[in-house]
Structure formats: structure tokens, C-alpha cells
């Protein structure tokens, strides 16, 4: 626990004690909720990172197969078709669309590949030679790109989750290491202040009681002295008065009991 | 008769080309090559055959630079032979280069159409298809200019004339332009070897006819197969078929009506070789059903394309059994091209670590 | 986080790569050229002659300027050339994906995202 200085600026009253206690309770609930959220996200995150790792390695393989099918085209056509392809590209046939997925309140986008029908920029490519290889190569690459799109979704999720997890963890840590200790400190401070007040009050009352006792004793002694003086004067009359005097003394004793 | 005077002009060339043919990689070389683990190993294996040409390559070169260097060797040998050729052989070799020119011109037309700087395209052109006036093509900025002032000057002008107008260049798909040119070229070449006084009745005419007829049929079949599912109409398709070949005219007519793989198969029924190709391809999944061979898993059988290449190589190899013929030059270029494709393929398989399909090369020796 | 609207209309992929990678991906059908007159392409072919500034500007264009691109594919060896830009790019949209190229096999050690993964788990 950090020093006693780290507390909120409140007056040490019973009301603020109540407030602080409520706050502490709230912070603890929030902490456990956020912690759970962070754990859920982290679980998802780890799963995604594992899949990214796998997918990236797989991608190497997929792209190799695709390159080989392109090599096949070069083999069959007997030349490089790159330039022609670049120039005849007009409209994308292979497109993506973004969707959302909800993970513990975080919206993760996922890409979905789709092909638009009808426009085929390369239908004629390799008409005289190698057309079949070109078509095959297109399919191979289309599949490779699908794999890439999938990987891209994972990666986007990775980036977003990474961000969100950082934020959540920051909150969790803030609650755990700042808000809760500080609230606890405040409560402790209020308690100690209140105790101090109590002790002062006790001491004051004790002082008051002592004084009362002393006063009582003095009064009693005076009374006694006066009675003895009167008794000396008329002894017979005073016998009947003893009772009430005793009762008073007993009452005073009882009073003391009540106070202490 | 031809044996009497052939060597006067062409004996040296024939000797040289036969020598080149002997330096082609053999089956044993290929067996060694497919054992390689890295491109460097492959380079080492190619050392005896390609020597100096590979020397400038960096360690572990890319497959494309390897292919470029091996092509360089072909080009320099071809240029040497061409420089020593005279008379009708020189003309014959020019004809050989026209096919590459068509590809180059198609490339430049594409560039001009899209208003690209065509100068940088010159690097991409096939060196065998280089012609004197090619850099001039880059001057043209629009297609009409290109057609009217520049293409007319090229050796390909006759192929444009009569079948393609400058509007066509603008509107038609470049593939159609290319194939129209190629059809005209094949017909012209066929005509050349069969009518030129130096070649009529010689083995040259005989062998070249066989090769060109095969080439014509191959294109017709490929165009038909590849046009399924595209906007190419049957009438337009018919215009792209060369008007000779084993399939011409009945088979070509049937091809022009074919709607699917089956239709093509029926059309080529008449020619034994093609029939057996189609049967094999049909069993192996065939190109008729798209998708079933896709994904680099299509190793279950040879594609039609592979079988055509195989056939081409066999014809080319056969050409060397004849003497006193120009056809060996053509055959040698084709064999060498196949060798480059093989090397590239093997290099690619090694680079991509896809050894299971490395055996897809075609070796005839 | 990005708003709903921001990624709804992101429907294209973009690619920065060597010729073979671009050719292959274009064959798959991702190529898109916007309507003239500006005719913007969503791909860039990089070779040895392309300078880094051109790559950077393309990267900038695909990631910040264009709002219709959801995924940017970039060859790893090209990403290496503008590594500082790729590493400092943290936005969720568009996603940057480093892909292997034909002549440069994939190296997970260099990938900016995978490096982050490693750092997070202290591996």
C-alpha cells in the first residue's frame, strides 16, 4: 500500500465513509467484470494469434503452389504474359465485403470474398496457346487470394483486439492498482479520523465525569458536615432524615455506573 | 538432285546446326538436374552446356534470369547461323522469326492502346522477333498512326493487309489480332515452303509441311477449346483457323461448330494422333471440365498441351533424320526452346519446393 | 476504432509486388482500374528499377488516400524496402498483408504482425 497521503480529499465524516464504502464495492465489481472481459478477449486473442501464425505459414505454401501454376502458364504460353495481363485488367472480379462479429462487446470485422459474375478480363488470354493453363492458374490464384483474405480478416481482428485488450487491461490495472488502494486508503483515513474523534470524545466525557464526581464528593462532604452540625444541635429529629439521605447516595452511585 | 547443290550454299549451316543439336541436353542430363536441391546446383549441372552464358548470374539466381540467360544462348547461336545463311535459307530463317515478331507487335499494340511509354516495352520483346524498324513503332502515339505509318513498314505488313483495319486494332481483343496475324503467318509460311523454287519437292517442303500442318491443327484445336465460355463467336472463331493442316477442311469445319470438349473430340476423330491425345486427355480429367485439374494437383495425367509439345518435339527430332533440308534449323530452334522451358520448369520446381511435379518436362533425346 | 461507414465500401484488394506476383493476383481477378480520366490502378509492379519513393507513395495511396481498399497485399521483400513505413502502420483498415514472392520465400521473422505476436508472448 502506498503512503497515507494517497487518498481522496474528503471530510472524514460518517457520510463520506458510506460513500467510500459504496465506491470500493463498485470498483471491486467493475474490476472483476473487466478482468473477466479481458480474459475472454485474451483467450480469443491467443486463438487468433495462433491461427495467424498457422495461416501465415500455410500462406507460404499456398503462394508457392500458385507461383508454380503461373510457371506452368509461362511454360505453356512460351513467354511472359505479365504485361498483357496488367494492361487488360479493368474491373475487379474478385472483391471483398466486410462483416462484423461480436466478441465480448467488441466488434471485429471479417472480410468475405466474393466474385462478381460477368466481367472476365482475361477470357481470351492464351487463346492460341496455353489457355487451359491460364484458366487453371486463375483458379489456383483465386483460391490463394481467398486464403489471403481469410488471413487478412484474422490480422484485422488481431490489430483491433490488440488495441481493445490494451485499453481493457489498462482499466483493470488502473482499478486494481490506483482506484481500489486509494479508496481503501480513504476509508482507512476516515476510520482513523473517526476513531480519533471517538477517543477525544471519550476522554472529554471521562474528564466531565471525574469533575462531576469530585463535585459530588465535595457536595456530599459539605452536606455531611452540615448535617453533623445540625445533628449536634437536634439529634432526635434527624434520625428520621437518614433514610432519604441514603437513598440519594445510592442514586449517585448508580449514576456513576451509568456513565462509566 | 537437292543433294548435289545443297552443300554449296548451306552445307556449313547444316553442319553447325547439327552440332548445336548434339549439345542439347539429354535424358541423363535431365535426370541429374531433377536431383538438384538448389538453383546453384542446377547452374552447376548446366555448366557444360551453357558455360559462359550463366557465368554472370549471381549466386542462387531467380528462375526468370536463368531463363533469360539460356534464351540469350539460343539467340546468339541463332544470330550466328542467320549471319552465315544465304539465299533461300536466309529467307527461311526470316520466316522463322516472324512468329516472334507477331508476339512483339501484339505487345507494342497493347502498349500503344493504353498509351503507355512503349520504349520500356522494347526490353520485354522477344529478341528473336526483333526487326530493324521495331524501335520506330514506339514513335506512334495512337493506333491509327501506328497502323498507317509504322506497321506498313514491318515485315508483318502483308499479314495485316486485307484482314485487319486500324479500327480492328482498336476494337478487337488483342488476342484475336494476334491469332489472326498468326493464322496469316502460318499460311504464308506454308505457302513459302511449298512454292519456293528452291524448296519445292525437297525434304524441306516435306518436313516443314508436316511441322506447319501440325502447328496449324494445334492452334485450331487450342483456339476452339479456349474459346468456350468467351464472347468469341463461332463465325469469328472460324476466321482464326489456318486454311491448311491435317484437319482442313472437314475437321476445321466441325471444329467451328463444336460447342464443348466432346465436339472437339469428334472433330479430330479423323486424325489418329489427335484422337489418341484426346482419349488420353479425356481419361486424365481433360481440359473440358474446368477446375478438376486445378490447384497444382493436376499431376494425374498429361494435359493436351503437354502432349502437343511432346508431338512437336518428336517431329522436330525426326527432322534431323533427313539431310539437305532447312527444316533442321526450325527443328533445332523448337528443340532448344523446349529445352529452355524444361530448364525453367525444373528451376521453378526447385525454387518453389514442389518436387512432386518436377518430372513434367519433355525430353526427347 | 473505425466506424461502420469506413469499411462498408472497402471492396477491393490492392497489391504492390513483383511482376509475377502481380500477374498471378490479377489473374485471380483483383485488378481494378477506376474510370477515366484519372484511371487509378490498384496494383503496382515493382522491379529493381523502381525507387523506394514510388513504392512509398503507392503504399500511401493505397492505405490512406483510397477509401475503397480493404486489404493491401505487399511482397515481403518489397515491404523490407519500406520497412519503417510498414512497421509504423498500425491502423486496422486497410489491412496490410505481407505475402511471399516467387523468388523470395516467406520469412516469418520479418513479418511486422508476426513480430508483434512474438513480442506479445515473449517468445
Amino acid at each position: 500500500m502506498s503512503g497515507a497521503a494517497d487518498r481522496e480529499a474528503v471530510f472524514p465524516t460518517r457520510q463520506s465513509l458510506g460513500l467510500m464504502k459504496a465506491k470500493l464495492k463498485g470498483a471491486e465489481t467493475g474490476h472483476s467484470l473487466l478482468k473477466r472481459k479481458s480474459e475472454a478477449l485474451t483467450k480469443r486473442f491467443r486463438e487468433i494469434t495462433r491461427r495467424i501464425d498457422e495461416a501465415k505459414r500455410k500462406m507460404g505454401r499456398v503462394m508457392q503452389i500458385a507461383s508454380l501454376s503461373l510457371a506452368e502458364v509461362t511454360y505453356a504460353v512460351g513467354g511472359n504474359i505479365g504485361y498483357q495481363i496488367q494492361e487488360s485488367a479493368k474491373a475487379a472480379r474478385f472483391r471483398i465485403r466486410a462483416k462484423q462479429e461480436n466478441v465480448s462487446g467488441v466488434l471485429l470485422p471479417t472480410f468475405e470474398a466474393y466474385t462478381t459474375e460477368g466481367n472476365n478480363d482475361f477470357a481470351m488470354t492464351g487463346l492460341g496457346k496455353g489457355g487451359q493453363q491460364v484458366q487453371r492458374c486463375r483458379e489456383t490464384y483465386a483460391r490463394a487470394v481467398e486464403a489471403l483474405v481469410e488471413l487478412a480478416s484474422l490480422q484485422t481482428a488481431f490489430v483491433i483486439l490488440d488495441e481493445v485488450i490494451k485499453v481493457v487491461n489498462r482499466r483493470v490495472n488502473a482499478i486494481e492498482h490506483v482506484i481500489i488502494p486509494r479508496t481503501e486508503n480513504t476509508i482507512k483515513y476516515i476510520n482513523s479520523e473517526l476513531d480519533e474523534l471517538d477517543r477525544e470524545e471519550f476522554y472529554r466525557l471521562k474528564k466531565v465525569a471525574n469533575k462531576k464526581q469530585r463535585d459530588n464528593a465535595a457536595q456530599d462532604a459539605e452536606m455531611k458536615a452540615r448535617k453533623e452540625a445540625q445533628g449536634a444541635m437536634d439529634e432526635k429529629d434527624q434520625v428520621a432524615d437518614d433514610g432519604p439521605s441514603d437513598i440519594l447516595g445510592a442514586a449517585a452511585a448508580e449514576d456513576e455506573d451509568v456513565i462509566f | 538432285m537437292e543433294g548435289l547443290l545443297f552443300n554449296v550454299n548451306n552445307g556449313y549451316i547444316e553442319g553447325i546446326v547439327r552440332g548445336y543439336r548434339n549439345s542439347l541436353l539429354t535424358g541423363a542430363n535431365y535426370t541429374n538436374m531433377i536431383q538438384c536441391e538448389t538453383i546453384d546446383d542446377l547452374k552447376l549441372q548446366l555448366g557444360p552446356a551453357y558455360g559462359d552464358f550463366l557465368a554472370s548470374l549471381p549466386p542462387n539466381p531467380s528462375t526468370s534470369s536463368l531463363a533469360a540467360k539460356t534464351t540469350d544462348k539460343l539467340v546468339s547461336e541463332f544470330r550466328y547461323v542467320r549471319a552465315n545463311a544465304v539465299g533461300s535459307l536466309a529467307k527461311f530463317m526470316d520466316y522463322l522469326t516472324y512468329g516472334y515478331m507477331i508476339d512483339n507487335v501484339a505487345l507494342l499494340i497493347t502498349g500503344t492502346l493504353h498509351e503507355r511509354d512503349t520504349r520500356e516495352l522494347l526490353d520485354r520483346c522477344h529478341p528473336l522477333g526483333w526487326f530493324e524498324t521495331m524501335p520506330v513503332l514506339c514513335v506512334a502515339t495512337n493506333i491509327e498512326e501506328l497502323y498507317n505509318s509504322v506497321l506498313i513498314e514491318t515485315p508483318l505488313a502483308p499479314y495485316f493487309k486485307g484482314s485487319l483495319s486500324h479500327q480492328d486494332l482498336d476494337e478487337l481483343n488483342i488476342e484475336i489480332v494476334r491469332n489472326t496475324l498468326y493464322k496469316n503467318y502460318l499460311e504464308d509460311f506454308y505457302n513459302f515452303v511449298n512454292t519456293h523454287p528452291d524448296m519445292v519437292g525437297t525434304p524441306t517442303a516435306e518436313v516443314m509441311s508436316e511441322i506447319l500442318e501440325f502447328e496449324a491443327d494445334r492452334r485450331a484445336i487450342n483456339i476452339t477449346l479456349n474459346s468456350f465460355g468467351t464472347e468469341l463467336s463461332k463465325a469469328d472463331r472460324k476466321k482464326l483457323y489456318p486454311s491448311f493442316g491435317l484437319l482442313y477442311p472437314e475437321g476445321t469445319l466441325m471444329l467451328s461448330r463444336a460447342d464443348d470438349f466432346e465436339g472437339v473430340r469428334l472433330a479430330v476423330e479423323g486424325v489418329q494422333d489427335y484422337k489418341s491425345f484426346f482419349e488420353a486427355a479425356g481419361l486424365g480429367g481433360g481440359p473440358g471440365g474446368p477446375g478438376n485439374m486445378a490447384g497444382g494437383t493436376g499431376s494425374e495425367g498429361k494435359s493436351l498441351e503437354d502432349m502437343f509439345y511432346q508431338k512437336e518435339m518428336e517431329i522436330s527430332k525426326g527432322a534431323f533424320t533427313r539431310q539437305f533440308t532447312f527444316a533442321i534449323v526450325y527443328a533445332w530452334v523448337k528443340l532448344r526452346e523446349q529445352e529452355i522451358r524444361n530448364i525453367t520448369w525444373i528451376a521453378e520446381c526447385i525454387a518453389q519446393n514442389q518436387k512432386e511435379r518436377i518430372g513434367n518436362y519433355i525430353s526427347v533425346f | 476504432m473505425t466506424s461502420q461507414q469506413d469499411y462498408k465500401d472497402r471492396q477491393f484488394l490492392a497489391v504492390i509486388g513483383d511482376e509475377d506476383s502481380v500477374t498471378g493476383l490479377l489473374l485471380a481477378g483483383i485488378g481494378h482500374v477506376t474510370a477515366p480520366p484519372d484511371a487509378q490502378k490498384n496494383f503496382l509492379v515493382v522491379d529493381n528499377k523502381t525507387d523506394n519513393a514510388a513504392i512509398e507513395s503507392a503504399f500511401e495511396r493505397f492505405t490512406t488516400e483510397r477509401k475503397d481498399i480493404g486489404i493491401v497485399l505487399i511482397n515481403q521483400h518489397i515491404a523490407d524496402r519500406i520497412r519503417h513505413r510498414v512497421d509504423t502502420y498500425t491502423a486496422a483498415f486497410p489491412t496490410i498483408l505481407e505475402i511471399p514472392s516467387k523468388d523470395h520465400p516467406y520469412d516469418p521473422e520479418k513479418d511486422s504482425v508476426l513480430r508483434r505476436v512474438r513480442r506479445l508472448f515473449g517468445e
Side-chain angles (χ1 to χ4, degrees):
Chain A
M1 293 286 162
S2 43
D6 186 26
R7 59 172 163 81
E8 283 168 55
V10 287
F11 287 112
T13 60
R14 289 207 178 266
Q15 190 191 11
S16 49
L17 178 68
L19 278 177
M20 280 301 129
K21 278 191 171 157
K23 192 175 172 184
L24 181 64
K25 198 156 191 257
E28 270 163 0
T29 320
H31 177 252
S32 83
L33 279 176
L34 279 177
K35 189 105 188 163
R36 242 179 284 166
K37 178 177 178 177
S38 148
E39 269 158 17
L41 290 178
T42 313
K43 182 166 173 274
R44 176 79 180 197
F45 186 67
R46 280 182 181 268
E47 187 192 314
I48 284 176
T49 35
R50 208 193 54 242
R51 274 166 64 193
I52 285 186
D53 211 63
E54 269 170 25
K56 288 242 172 188
R57 280 161 212 282
K58 202 181 104 195
M59 170 183 78
R61 180 86 184 147
V62 167
M63 291 304 284
Q64 275 188 339
I65 292 175
S67 310
L68 196 73
S69 84
L70 188 63
E72 215 170 70
V73 169
T74 318
Y75 180 96
V77 177
N80 201 333
I81 57 168
Y83 189 78
Q84 207 193 332
I85 297 291
Q86 284 162 41
E87 289 305 336
S88 47
K90 279 185 200 73
R93 196 170 68 93
F94 193 102
R95 299 179 186 206
I96 47 172
R97 129 176 6 109
K99 285 199 308 189
Q100 283 183 319
E101 199 188 342
N102 194 332
V103 180
S104 316
V106 182
L107 293 175
L108 292 182
T110 51
F111 293 112
E112 190 189 45
Y114 70 102
T115 46
T116 52
E117 292 307 316
N119 57 341
N120 190 345
D121 293 339
F122 316 113
M124 297 278 200
T125 308
L127 187 62
K129 242 183 187 182
Q132 294 139 39
Q133 277 76 6
V134 172
Q135 297 306 321
R136 211 184 302 162
C137 178
R138 288 179 43 181
E139 285 155 23
T140 315
Y141 261 98
R143 269 201 305 276
V145 177
E146 270 169 39
L148 291 180
V149 168
E150 200 181 314
L151 181 56
S153 306
L154 286 176
Q155 198 176 299
T156 318
F158 169 83
V159 173
I160 290 179
L161 266 185
D162 185 32
E163 201 60 33
V164 172
I165 287 179
K166 262 187 212 152
V167 170
V168 171
N169 279 345
R170 213 174 292 146
R171 283 189 194 150
V172 169
N173 288 340
I175 291 179
E176 190 177 323
H177 296 293
V178 179
I179 298 187
I180 291 185
R182 183 196 279 190
T183 317
E184 277 171 347
N185 270 352
T186 315
I187 290 174
K188 219 192 259 165
Y189 160 74
I190 295 175
N191 272 335
S192 70
E193 287 293 300
L194 286 178
D195 282 356
E196 186 67 24
L197 280 178
D198 278 352
R199 274 194 296 280
E200 270 175 26
E201 186 71 6
F202 172 71
Y203 187 73
R204 193 173 60 85
L205 288 177
K206 206 167 161 187
K207 277 281 187 211
V208 170
N210 278 347
K211 186 152 172 41
K212 241 185 193 163
Q213 214 174 7
R214 254 196 337 268
D215 288 356
N216 278 352
Q219 243 173 357
D220 283 354
E222 200 184 327
M223 209 98 92
K224 219 173 182 177
R226 209 181 292 160
K227 271 176 196 164
E228 271 165 14
Q230 264 184 347
M233 276 185 258
D234 42 12
E235 227 178 343
K236 270 197 285 185
D237 287 354
Q238 285 307 307
V239 178
D241 281 349
D242 270 353
S245 157
D246 268 334
I247 291 166
L248 197 71
E254 266 175 36
D255 266 358
E256 274 175 18
D257 277 349
V258 169
I259 290 165
F260 301 114
Chain B
M1 178 62 200
E2 69 270 0
L4 193 61
L5 297 168
F6 186 87
N7 283 349
V8 175
N9 288 326
N10 307 313
Y12 176 65
I13 302 292
E14 186 177 355
I16 289 285
V17 171
R18 281 182 190 275
Y20 284 153
R21 173 226 174 275
N22 278 345
S23 73
L24 288 169
L25 297 173
T26 63
N29 289 125
Y30 283 119
T31 316
N32 284 338
M33 279 161 63
I34 60 173
Q35 307 294 328
C36 293
E37 291 296 326
T38 64
I39 305 281
D40 274 338
D41 289 352
L42 187 68
K43 212 171 108 185
L44 208 65
Q45 290 290 342
L46 290 174
Y50 283 89
D52 292 347
F53 287 91
L54 299 180
S56 60
L57 284 176
N60 265 326
S62 70
T63 50
S64 41
S65 54
L66 191 68
K69 292 292 175 202
T70 46
T71 310
D72 281 352
K73 181 168 189 234
L74 167 63
V75 171
S76 81
E77 286 175 355
F78 185 86
R79 289 204 175 129
Y80 178 74
V81 173
R82 172 67 186 83
N84 284 290
V86 288
S88 48
L89 178 57
K91 184 84 183 130
F92 177 87
M93 287 185 73
D94 285 343
Y95 262 100
L96 233 172
T97 59
Y98 291 167
Y100 302 97
M101 284 185 200
I102 290 174
D103 282 341
N104 289 352
V105 167
L107 190 70
L108 291 174
I109 291 176
T110 316
T112 313
L113 272 181
H114 292 87
E115 290 160 11
R116 297 279 173 264
D117 183 10
T118 37
R119 245 161 280 271
E120 60 191 53
L121 287 179
L122 289 179
D123 295 341
R124 296 169 171 272
C125 289
H126 198 290
L128 280 187
W130 185 272
F131 49 92
E132 299 260 306
T133 52
M134 202 162 76
V136 185
L137 282 178
C138 303
V139 178
T141 49
N142 63 52
I143 211 75
E144 196 177 338
E145 209 178 298
L146 183 77
Y147 186 82
N148 285 335
S149 55
V150 191
L151 283 178
I152 298 300
E153 302 294 319
T154 68
L156 301 179
Y159 306 146
F160 279 96
K161 212 162 69 186
S163 50
L164 290 164
S165 69
H166 68 84
Q167 281 99 342
D168 286 343
L169 290 189
D170 222 345
E171 289 156 12
L172 287 175
N173 190 305
I174 187 67
E175 281 297 319
I176 297 178
V177 173
R178 185 204 304 267
N179 284 295
T180 309
L181 291 178
Y182 214 90
K183 163 197 155 59
N184 291 342
Y185 156 67
L186 279 179
E187 284 171 1
D188 189 34
F189 200 177
Y190 188 72
N191 192 37
F192 171 71
V193 295
N194 280 304
T195 54
H196 196 278
D198 282 353
M199 283 178 270
V200 178
T202 63
T204 306
E206 213 176 300
V207 178
M208 281 313 293
S209 293
E210 188 192 356
I211 293 178
L212 290 173
E213 276 166 4
F214 169 72
E215 183 67 26
D217 291 342
R218 172 160 85 163
R219 288 195 87 83
I221 295 171
N222 270 334
I223 289 172
T224 315
L225 283 177
N226 293 331
S227 69
F228 297 146
T230 66
E231 64 259 42
L232 187 64
S233 72
K234 283 183 184 170
D236 287 339
R237 195 167 80 196
K238 199 174 174 205
K239 286 187 201 150
L240 301 178
Y241 298 148
S243 59
F244 65 97
L246 298 177
L247 292 172
Y248 187 78
E250 293 86 1
T252 321
L253 189 67
M254 281 170 80
L255 274 182
S256 70
R257 294 187 183 148
D259 285 313
D260 51 16
F261 185 68
E262 194 55 29
V264 180
R265 203 182 58 77
L266 281 174
V268 302
E269 213 61 317
V271 182
Q272 188 53 41
D273 276 341
Y274 306 151
K275 191 181 163 195
S276 57
F277 289 168
F278 270 73
E279 273 162 9
L283 288 176
N292 51 2
M293 299 245 310
T297 53
S299 52
E300 67 264 357
K302 291 203 161 186
S303 72
L304 206 55
E305 209 89 41
D306 286 342
M307 283 183 281
F308 279 137
Y309 271 129
Q310 181 79 42
K311 174 78 182 161
E312 186 183 15
M313 289 307 104
E314 274 160 18
I315 296 175
S316 300
K317 188 186 174 189
F320 279 93
T321 58
R322 310 294 292 262
Q323 231 185 335
F324 312 127
T325 165
F326 300 154
I328 57 162
V329 181
Y330 185 95
W332 161 69
V333 171
K334 291 293 163 194
L335 285 168
R336 178 44 79 64
E337 277 203 317
Q338 180 61 38
E339 180 178 297
I340 292 168
R341 275 198 297 268
N342 287 342
I343 293 172
T344 319
W345 175 253
I346 291 172
E348 201 78 52
C349 284
I350 292 171
Q352 302 302 324
N353 208 5
Q354 302 270 326
K355 288 290 186 60
E356 61 266 32
R357 299 183 60 203
I358 203 166
N360 274 16
Y361 62 87
I362 295 165
S363 160
V364 284
F365 293 113
Chain C
M1 229 181 292
T2 21
S3 72
Q4 182 95 3
Q5 286 310 314
D6 194 23
Y7 59 82
K8 270 295 174 223
D9 39 81
R10 293 188 182 272
Q11 52 169 334
F12 298 122
L13 295 97
V15 55
I16 303 175
D18 61 15
E19 178 154 11
D20 280 333
S21 308
V22 172
T23 306
L25 293 167
L26 290 184
L27 272 178
I30 68 163
H32 194 89
V33 181
T34 53
D38 58 339
Q40 284 217 9
K41 291 176 182 172
N42 64 344
F43 51 89
L44 174 76
V45 177
V46 175
D47 54 25
N48 295 332
K49 279 171 277 174
T50 317
D51 57 353
N52 289 359
I55 305 176
E56 267 186 59
S57 80
F59 186 77
E60 188 71 27
R61 193 165 65 243
F62 294 153
T63 49
T64 40
E65 280 170 38
R66 289 190 58 168
K67 297 295 176 205
D68 55 350
I69 289 174
I71 303 174
V72 178
L73 303 169
I74 180 166
N75 272 148
Q76 199 172 36
H77 69 280
I78 293 164
D80 280 343
R81 287 171 60 177
I82 53 164
R83 182 50 71 191
H84 59 288
R85 291 297 307 271
V86 179
D87 278 352
T88 48
Y89 179 87
T90 49
F93 284 103
T95 306
I96 306 291
L97 205 55
E98 288 177 33
I99 57 170
S101 65
K102 206 178 79 180
D103 302 326
H104 302 77
Y106 186 66
D107 179 7
E109 299 307 317
K110 282 185 188 155
D111 192 290
S112 62
V113 170
L114 276 186
R115 275 203 310 213
R116 260 168 87 182
V117 172
R118 299 222 184 307
R119 215 164 39 232
L120 278 170
F121 294 118
E123 279 159 10

